[in-house]
Amino acid sequence: MTQVKLTKAFIDGLDPATADRDHVYWDTSMPGFGIRVKPPATMSYVIQYRTAGQSRRMALGKHGRITLEGARKEAKKYLGQVTVGQDPARERAEQRAAPTMKELATDYLERHAVPKKRPASVRDDRSMLNRFILPKLGSRKVNAVTRRDIEGITNSLAAKPYMSNRVRALLSKMFSLAVGWGWRPDNPVSSVAPFAETARERWLREDEIDRLFVVLDGHANQFYANAIRLLLLTGARRSEVLKAEWTQFDLENGLWTKPAHTTKQRRLHHVPLSSEALSLLRTMRGAADNEQRYLFPGRPALKAADDKQSQGQERPLQEIRRFWHEVRRDAGLKDVRLHDLRHTFASHIVSGGVSLPMVGQLLGHTQAATTQRYAHLAVEPLRAASDAFGRKLRRNGSREIDEQGPETAAGQGN
């Protein structure tokens, strides 16, 4: 072991090309700090210390990329950490081995999203990861991501507050899992406020519903038309209708029981059916094959005995958007989405006097706040309550006048 006073002149005189072996020169003015000369062309600043009975060596940087004075400052910092019980070499190794955001995304999808979320939600998550998150944070260590990093992503989507909030929610869930897995101590998203969202309020007026049914009734494809009718008559989600099976329906008692795995809230959902919905379903049931599984099969169930490969291949109808675009164009409803049929169902029954809790049960909402978006439509029940109070005041006022006499009552008004 060679000990010398490390100076710029001494280091400039070292030549790795002429060295016959790997050698470290230790500084006499700072114990534990030195420069390593490694043939044929490398010189690196290093520190060496003991902790827990073990000797550790850690490189600070190559000469040329870091100056002697810069290396001294780094050495002083790390050797100071050693004196208070830290192990900088181990901590650096752990940081290098720490998972990246790309690895967190992979584990999030495999361990959480795919097993627990709907396929459509998984597709949305993949899209947000690939478009907004991984291009900016993919190579970053999970434990090194900061609040500013999160704000950089969410603020870049400020013009699209709904998308920004969905990305924020995805990141929050990912970091919540990372905390549970011991990858970092906190969730950096928790202190990032979401953007205010203005809920899209679009539902069909009665005249628009009439136009829609005129188009549906006159369309050549009544198979697809029935799917649109059922969406509007039940307020169900598109996936619930397209994947509905005949075994879920009790047509005698007018009840649709949605299995937990088919609903967004992952709960069994019992839905009473209107007489109009029942009439439509009975007509469809009468026209369907007795062995038909889905209300809207995506392919015919082939029953040929000699075609074993095709048997049991019935799948639900996957998409009706192209049909819907055609229908809404013909009905003059170009700004109406399929999901707005669900809003239409809810809006009309709320304005008809049905309470918000009951509407929430019909729609399968688990949070009262979700149904609250329709509160401003409950005008008639509020008017009725206000009128009832007004009538009570009128009755009390008349009684008071009768008891006091018109002259006394008039005198009190002066």
Short mmCIF file of all heavy atoms in Angstrom, two decimals, residues 30 49 97 102 114-115 120-121 128 192 199 203 267 277 292 309 314 327 358 360 396 403 407:
data_model
loop_
_atom_site.label_atom_id
_atom_site.label_comp_id
_atom_site.label_asym_id
_atom_site.label_seq_id
_atom_site.Cartn_x
_atom_site.Cartn_y
_atom_site.Cartn_z
N MET A 30 -5.98 12.65 3.79
CA MET A 30 -7.35 12.21 4.01
C MET A 30 -7.38 10.67 4.01
O MET A 30 -7.48 10.06 2.94
CB MET A 30 -8.32 12.74 2.93
CG MET A 30 -9.78 12.33 3.17
SD MET A 30 -10.90 12.91 1.88
CE MET A 30 -10.97 14.63 2.25
N TYR A 49 -13.19 1.89 3.35
CA TYR A 49 -13.56 2.03 4.76
C TYR A 49 -13.98 0.67 5.29
O TYR A 49 -14.17 -0.29 4.53
CB TYR A 49 -14.70 3.05 4.91
CG TYR A 49 -15.95 2.67 4.15
CD1 TYR A 49 -16.96 1.91 4.75
CD2 TYR A 49 -16.13 3.06 2.82
CE1 TYR A 49 -18.10 1.55 4.05
CE2 TYR A 49 -17.27 2.71 2.12
CZ TYR A 49 -18.26 1.95 2.74
OH TYR A 49 -19.38 1.59 2.03
N ALA A 97 -29.47 -1.61 -8.22
CA ALA A 97 -30.32 -2.78 -8.41
C ALA A 97 -31.80 -2.45 -8.24
O ALA A 97 -32.66 -3.30 -8.50
CB ALA A 97 -29.92 -3.88 -7.43
N LYS A 102 -40.14 1.17 -15.69
CA LYS A 102 -40.53 0.18 -16.68
C LYS A 102 -40.83 -1.16 -16.01
O LYS A 102 -41.79 -1.84 -16.37
CB LYS A 102 -39.42 0.01 -17.72
CG LYS A 102 -39.78 -0.94 -18.85
CD LYS A 102 -38.67 -1.00 -19.90
CE LYS A 102 -39.06 -1.94 -21.04
NZ LYS A 102 -37.99 -2.00 -22.06
N VAL A 114 -54.14 -7.09 -15.09
CA VAL A 114 -54.66 -8.23 -15.85
C VAL A 114 -55.52 -9.15 -14.99
O VAL A 114 -56.62 -9.54 -15.41
CB VAL A 114 -53.51 -9.00 -16.52
CG1 VAL A 114 -54.03 -10.28 -17.16
CG2 VAL A 114 -52.82 -8.12 -17.58
N PRO A 115 -55.09 -9.51 -13.76
CA PRO A 115 -55.94 -10.41 -12.97
C PRO A 115 -57.19 -9.75 -12.41
O PRO A 115 -58.18 -10.45 -12.14
CB PRO A 115 -55.01 -10.85 -11.82
CG PRO A 115 -53.65 -10.43 -12.20
CD PRO A 115 -53.81 -9.25 -13.10
N ALA A 120 -60.95 -4.11 -21.14
CA ALA A 120 -60.94 -2.76 -21.71
C ALA A 120 -60.13 -1.81 -20.84
O ALA A 120 -59.42 -0.93 -21.34
CB ALA A 120 -62.38 -2.25 -21.84
N SER A 121 -60.21 -1.97 -19.52
CA SER A 121 -59.45 -1.11 -18.61
C SER A 121 -57.95 -1.40 -18.73
O SER A 121 -57.13 -0.49 -18.65
CB SER A 121 -59.91 -1.33 -17.17
OG SER A 121 -61.26 -0.93 -17.01
N MET A 128 -52.01 4.39 -21.77
CA MET A 128 -51.49 5.52 -21.00
C MET A 128 -50.03 5.31 -20.63
O MET A 128 -49.24 6.27 -20.65
CB MET A 128 -52.35 5.73 -19.75
CG MET A 128 -53.73 6.30 -20.04
SD MET A 128 -54.67 6.72 -18.55
CE MET A 128 -55.13 5.09 -17.95
N VAL A 192 -50.22 15.55 -5.34
CA VAL A 192 -50.49 16.21 -6.62
C VAL A 192 -52.00 16.28 -6.82
O VAL A 192 -52.67 15.25 -6.91
CB VAL A 192 -49.84 15.43 -7.79
CG1 VAL A 192 -50.19 16.10 -9.13
CG2 VAL A 192 -48.34 15.36 -7.61
N ALA A 199 -68.18 17.39 -16.10
CA ALA A 199 -68.80 16.17 -16.60
C ALA A 199 -69.58 16.46 -17.88
O ALA A 199 -70.28 17.48 -17.99
CB ALA A 199 -69.72 15.57 -15.55
N TRP A 203 -77.81 13.91 -23.00
CA TRP A 203 -78.80 12.84 -23.06
C TRP A 203 -79.87 13.25 -24.06
O TRP A 203 -79.98 14.41 -24.46
CB TRP A 203 -79.41 12.57 -21.69
CG TRP A 203 -79.92 13.78 -20.97
CD1 TRP A 203 -81.12 14.38 -21.11
CD2 TRP A 203 -79.19 14.56 -20.01
NE1 TRP A 203 -81.21 15.48 -20.31
CE2 TRP A 203 -80.06 15.60 -19.60
CE3 TRP A 203 -77.92 14.46 -19.44
CZ2 TRP A 203 -79.67 16.55 -18.67
CZ3 TRP A 203 -77.55 15.40 -18.50
CH2 TRP A 203 -78.41 16.43 -18.13
N ARG A 267 -69.69 -6.59 -8.53
CA ARG A 267 -70.69 -7.06 -7.58
C ARG A 267 -71.89 -7.60 -8.32
O ARG A 267 -72.23 -7.12 -9.41
CB ARG A 267 -71.13 -5.92 -6.65
CG ARG A 267 -70.05 -5.39 -5.72
CD ARG A 267 -70.61 -4.33 -4.80
NE ARG A 267 -69.59 -3.76 -3.93
CZ ARG A 267 -69.83 -2.80 -3.05
NH1 ARG A 267 -71.05 -2.29 -2.92
NH2 ARG A 267 -68.85 -2.34 -2.29
N ALA A 277 -88.86 -3.38 -21.87
CA ALA A 277 -87.65 -4.20 -21.98
C ALA A 277 -88.02 -5.68 -22.01
O ALA A 277 -87.45 -6.46 -22.78
CB ALA A 277 -86.71 -3.91 -20.82
N GLN A 292 -78.79 -21.17 -27.92
CA GLN A 292 -78.01 -19.94 -28.02
C GLN A 292 -77.66 -19.44 -26.63
O GLN A 292 -78.51 -19.30 -25.76
CB GLN A 292 -78.81 -18.87 -28.77
CG GLN A 292 -78.06 -17.57 -29.00
CD GLN A 292 -78.88 -16.62 -29.87
OE1 GLN A 292 -79.39 -17.02 -30.92
NE2 GLN A 292 -79.01 -15.38 -29.43
N GLN A 309 -64.58 -29.05 -34.79
CA GLN A 309 -63.71 -27.92 -34.50
C GLN A 309 -64.48 -26.63 -34.26
O GLN A 309 -64.07 -25.78 -33.48
CB GLN A 309 -62.71 -27.72 -35.64
CG GLN A 309 -61.65 -26.65 -35.33
CD GLN A 309 -60.63 -26.54 -36.43
OE1 GLN A 309 -60.70 -27.25 -37.43
NE2 GLN A 309 -59.67 -25.66 -36.25
N GLU A 314 -69.09 -20.31 -29.86
CA GLU A 314 -69.92 -19.12 -29.82
C GLU A 314 -69.27 -18.06 -28.93
O GLU A 314 -68.81 -18.33 -27.83
CB GLU A 314 -71.30 -19.46 -29.28
CG GLU A 314 -72.24 -18.25 -29.27
CD GLU A 314 -73.62 -18.58 -28.69
OE1 GLU A 314 -73.90 -19.77 -28.46
OE2 GLU A 314 -74.37 -17.63 -28.46
N VAL A 327 -76.48 4.87 -37.38
CA VAL A 327 -77.81 5.17 -36.87
C VAL A 327 -77.90 6.60 -36.36
O VAL A 327 -78.86 7.32 -36.65
CB VAL A 327 -78.18 4.17 -35.74
CG1 VAL A 327 -79.40 4.65 -34.96
CG2 VAL A 327 -78.43 2.79 -36.32
N MET A 358 -82.39 5.29 -5.62
CA MET A 358 -82.99 4.24 -6.45
C MET A 358 -82.36 4.22 -7.84
O MET A 358 -82.13 3.15 -8.42
CB MET A 358 -84.51 4.45 -6.54
CG MET A 358 -85.24 4.19 -5.24
SD MET A 358 -87.04 4.37 -5.40
CE MET A 358 -87.40 3.02 -6.52
N GLY A 360 -79.33 5.10 -8.49
CA GLY A 360 -78.03 4.48 -8.30
C GLY A 360 -78.11 2.96 -8.26
O GLY A 360 -77.23 2.27 -8.80
N ASN A 396 -102.13 27.56 7.30
CA ASN A 396 -101.88 28.16 8.60
C ASN A 396 -102.20 29.65 8.59
O ASN A 396 -102.77 30.19 9.55
CB ASN A 396 -100.43 27.95 9.02
CG ASN A 396 -100.14 26.50 9.36
OD1 ASN A 396 -101.06 25.73 9.58
ND2 ASN A 396 -98.87 26.14 9.41
N GLU A 403 -109.05 33.12 13.04
CA GLU A 403 -109.09 33.18 14.50
C GLU A 403 -109.02 34.61 15.01
O GLU A 403 -109.64 34.98 15.99
CB GLU A 403 -107.92 32.36 15.08
CG GLU A 403 -108.09 30.86 14.87
CD GLU A 403 -106.88 30.10 15.33
OE1 GLU A 403 -105.86 30.76 15.66
OE2 GLU A 403 -106.93 28.85 15.36
N GLU A 407 -110.30 42.37 10.94
CA GLU A 407 -109.85 43.70 11.37
C GLU A 407 -108.55 43.62 12.12
O GLU A 407 -107.62 44.41 11.90
CB GLU A 407 -110.93 44.35 12.26
CG GLU A 407 -112.23 44.66 11.55
CD GLU A 407 -113.14 43.43 11.46
OE1 GLU A 407 -112.73 42.35 11.97
OE2 GLU A 407 -114.21 43.53 10.86
#
